[in-house]
Amino acid sequence: YTVDLKKVADLARHQDQVNGATPTSSKSPKVLNFTLATFHESRCGSTLVANAVAAMDPIKHRSYSEAQPPAAALTSVCGRNFSRCSQQQAALVLRDTIYLMSRSDDPKEERVFFKFQSATTKSIQVFQEAFPDQPWIFVYRDPVQVMMSHIKDDPELKGRANCLRSKSMPPPEIKDIAVQYAGISDPRFLSMEEYCAAHLAAITESAASSLTDIGLPVNYETLPISLYEWILPTILGRSLSNQEVENIQSISQQYSKGTGSRHKREFQDDSEAKT
């Protein structure tokens, strides 16, 4: 069955207002403090960020990593190029979605963090309209290393790599890049490597054009140190405790992705192998 998202969100907001609970109060339900949003180029350490902010204080912090509802609000609800509704309406849907996902009946929880799928970066203007005062970061990496990570999943370049999935029906932003940088009006005629590069360029250019004082680029090579030395202290307005730093350092020694024994293996930087 389906429900009216706006109606549910409005009812939740009304109940929360009546309840009067703040993110740090013991009352429930309450709405957690939306502390940081993470956009990324893909294959660049963004999952490490999601894991680190959760591990920093696992009792007080909730971290969503590429949850589907916000991605749908950012990229699907209003259609490609807002063919079904406006950017303003997409922002309202995203705001309601984040609100509902930020509610908690755990009296110890205080903060919520969101890491979005890489493709949502191309809709970052929707996020900025929904949350104009919300701190966010864009994690990036040497694009050659990112491409190598994608192609590793599709060594024969048959179109299975994530960066190649849209090659049969290229979106407008990739068409623009193909014209601008390759002089090709139809990106389907790009080589597999060229198309992968164009896909990554579309993501990165969208983020680069949207950077502000509260929307900052973060180089993969600086992680996790940049998290506990300046990103989180700047957002929180305080230095991290020794325990919080140790928690981040500990989780950062493990693989960012995977489950079971693979997830617990020591993390090793693979940048040199991909150059």
Side-chain angles (χ1 to χ4, degrees), residues 18 24 29 36 44 62 70 73 82 119 127 139 144 190 223 225 230 245:
V18 171
T24 57
L36 177 67
C44 59
R62 178 193 299 181
F82 307 105
F127 173 83
V139 185
V144 173
L190 293 172
L223 296 172
I225 296 174
W230 67 274
V245 172

Side-chain angles (χ1 to χ4, degrees), residues 31-79:
V31 181
L32 305 178
N33 181 302
F34 184 5
T35 303
L36 177 67
T38 300
F39 294 91
H40 58 100
E41 186 181 10
S42 76
R43 312 297 177 90
C44 59
S46 61
T47 303
L48 186 153
V49 173
N51 291 346
V53 294
M56 172 185 160
D57 193 333
I59 293 177
K60 294 182 179 179
H61 290 187
R62 178 193 299 181
S63 179
Y64 288 104
S65 183
E66 302 195 2
Q68 286 299 318
L74 279 163
T75 63
S76 302
V77 170
C78 287

Side-chain angles (χ1 to χ4, degrees), residues 82-95:
F82 307 105
S83 58
R84 290 192 291 271
C85 55
S86 68
Q87 178 175 308
Q88 293 75 18
Q89 289 171 309
L92 292 174
V93 173
L94 178 63
R95 194 179 303 147

Side-chain angles (χ1 to χ4, degrees), residues 51-59 61 111 113 232 236 238 240-241 243-245 247-248 251:
N51 291 346
V53 294
M56 172 185 160
D57 193 333
I59 293 177
H61 290 187
R111 297 183 178 276
F113 301 78
L232 291 170
L236 299 176
R238 64 170 177 83
L240 271 60
S241 69
Q243 185 61 62
E244 290 171 332
V245 172
N247 289 348
I248 291 176
I251 197 67

Side-chain angles (χ1 to χ4, degrees), residues 80 122 147 161-175 177-178 186-202:
R80 183 177 290 181
K122 292 182 286 187
M147 283 184 63
N162 284 345
C163 62
L164 300 173
R165 289 180 179 176
S166 65
K167 195 171 189 296
S168 61
M169 295 184 63
E173 60 271 14
I174 292 184
K175 292 180 181 179
I177 288 172
D186 189 341
R188 290 176 297 179
F189 292 108
L190 293 172
S191 69
M192 292 295 193
E193 295 89 346
E194 289 171 335
Y195 192 90
C196 187
H199 169 84
L200 298 176

